[in-house]
């Protein structure tokens, strides 16, 4: 099936990582700004069954207490104001007592269906205590609950990964990059096959990033809406792609 130039194109490499999200309690999506992290996660989220519970939280900044307040309000929209108030009164589960209470409440709340919590801009959460909370929930959540953290900086240290022992699915910068083969596949699926020389030219004019990297302004996560961001005078994505493909 031919893609529209406005469609999102996900490479096979990235899709494989996204498809593993339901297999893990925790997924981290980590890359600098402009790599298409949110777009990739949205593509996955839109493919979920309507039977799933989907919760989305955009971090606006602040420490663990601010995050907990926003989280409690988000849960409250699904479970009711009383549940939200219970979480707020409990506070972030940083000790054994509150951690057990939190787990008990979550088991009461979550039905036996797939539940996803997507946290965008996680890097804006301040404080090392947050990492401990992430490790705790990753080891103790029910199997049908999955947390996806989207961040510009690393979420877990090497020690954290060892502690999680295979319970985390990591999507990294390299998974979000487009290499020469990805670019060729994208153009071909849009109905505009181009030569290897043209692909090399596109990589060159995109800034010469190593390893066949192409900025999200053009192809990371596959947007066809290039809009002249590579220095061409075209202001229409379709015209630009056709111009390159007809070189």
């Amino acid at each position: 099936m031919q893609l529209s130039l406005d469609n999102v194109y996900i490479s096979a490499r990235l899709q494989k990582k996204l498809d593993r999200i339901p297999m893990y309690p925790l997924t981290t999506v980590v890359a600098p700004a402009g790599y298409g992290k949110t777009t990739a996660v949205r593509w996955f989220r839109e493919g979920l069954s309507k039977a799933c519970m989907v919760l989305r939280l955009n971090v606006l900044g602040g420490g663990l207490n601010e995050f907990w307040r926003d989280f409690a309000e988000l849960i409250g929209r699904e479970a009711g104001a009383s549940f939200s108030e219970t979480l707020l009164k409990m506070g972030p589960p940083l000790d054994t007592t509150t951690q057990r209470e939190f787990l008990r409440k979550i088991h009461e709340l979550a039905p036996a269906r797939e539940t996803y919590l997507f946290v965008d801009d996680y890097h804006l959460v301040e404080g090392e205590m947050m990492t401990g909370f992430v490790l705790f929930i990753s080891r103790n959540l029910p199997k049908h609950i999955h947390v996806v953290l989207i961040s510009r900086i690393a979420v877990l240290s090497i020690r954290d990964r060892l502690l999680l022992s295979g319970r985390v699915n990591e999507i990294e910068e390299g998974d979000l990059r487009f290499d020469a083969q990805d670019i060729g596949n994208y153009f071909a699926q849009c109905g505009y096959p181009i030569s290897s020389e043209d692909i090399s030219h596109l990589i060159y004019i995109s800034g010469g990033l190593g390893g066949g990297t192409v900025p999200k302004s053009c192809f990371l996560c596959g947007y066809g809406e290039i809009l002249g961001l590579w220095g061409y005078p075209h202001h229409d994505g379709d015209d630009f792609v056709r111009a390159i493909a007809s070189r």
Side-chain angles (χ1 to χ4, degrees):
M1 181 179 68
Q2 181 171 316
L3 293 175
S4 162
L5 290 169
D6 292 328
N7 279 9
V8 171
Y9 173 86
I10 302 292
S11 70
R13 177 180 62 258
L14 177 56
Q15 184 172 341
K16 183 177 180 180
K17 283 291 191 77
L18 292 170
D19 287 344
R20 293 169 64 183
I21 291 176
M23 305 175 191
Y24 290 83
L26 175 66
T27 293
T28 60
V29 185
V30 179
Y35 268 77
K37 300 181 295 296
T38 301
T39 299
V41 171
R42 182 172 64 241
W43 178 88
F44 167 80
R45 190 172 62 238
E46 290 174 349
L48 289 173
S49 166
K50 293 184 183 297
C52 296
M53 178 185 293
V54 176
L55 305 171
R56 298 169 54 191
L57 178 61
N58 293 315
V59 177
L60 301 178
L64 182 56
N65 288 330
E66 288 80 2
F67 174 84
W68 186 255
R69 182 194 63 221
D70 293 341
F71 172 73
E73 292 176 353
L74 174 66
I75 296 296
R77 287 196 283 271
E78 292 289 336
S82 62
F83 193 91
S84 177
E85 291 171 2
T86 298
L87 293 181
L88 288 172
K89 184 177 180 180
M90 178 193 310
L94 300 178
D95 57 68
T96 303
T97 300
T98 54
Q99 287 174 355
R100 288 174 178 169
E101 179 66 11
F102 172 75
L103 283 179
R104 187 177 69 82
K105 291 295 182 182
I106 289 299
H107 277 276
E108 290 176 359
L109 167 67
R113 61 170 172 157
E114 293 295 291
T115 301
Y116 295 84
L117 170 63
F118 298 93
V119 182
D120 206 349
D121 287 334
Y122 177 79
H123 55 275
L124 295 178
V125 179
E126 302 170 2
E128 295 182 0
M129 290 186 298
M130 191 65 195
T131 300
F133 176 62
V134 169
L135 293 175
F136 163 71
I137 62 173
S138 300
R139 292 194 297 261
N140 294 283
L141 283 177
K143 292 183 178 180
H144 59 278
I145 298 181
H146 315 278
V147 178
V148 180
L149 305 179
I150 306 166
S151 176
R152 294 183 186 180
I153 59 177
V155 173
L156 303 171
S157 66
I158 295 176
R159 178 178 178 276
D160 297 334
R161 294 186 183 99
L162 291 174
L163 288 173
L164 286 176
S165 184
R167 293 179 63 83
V168 58
N169 175 34
E170 296 183 272
I171 300 176
E172 302 173 306
E173 182 178 325
D175 300 309
L176 292 160
R177 286 177 178 158
F178 257 52
D179 57 24
Q181 181 177 353
D182 294 325
I183 296 172
N185 289 342
Y186 172 77
F187 271 101
Q189 291 191 38
C190 287
Y192 302 102
I194 59 175
S195 67
S196 58
E197 290 80 7
D198 284 331
I199 292 174
S200 296
H201 181 63
L202 289 174
I203 294 173
Y204 171 75
I205 64 174
S206 70
L209 300 178
T213 305
V214 184
K216 175 178 175 284
S217 60
C218 178
F219 283 111
L220 285 171
C221 270
Y223 274 117
E225 300 175 2
I226 303 167
L227 303 180
L229 290 177
W230 280 350
Y232 280 77
H234 302 277
H235 295 284
D236 178 83
D238 288 11
D239 288 345
F240 178 70
V241 174
R242 293 187 185 104
I244 294 296
S246 62
R247 272 170 35 88

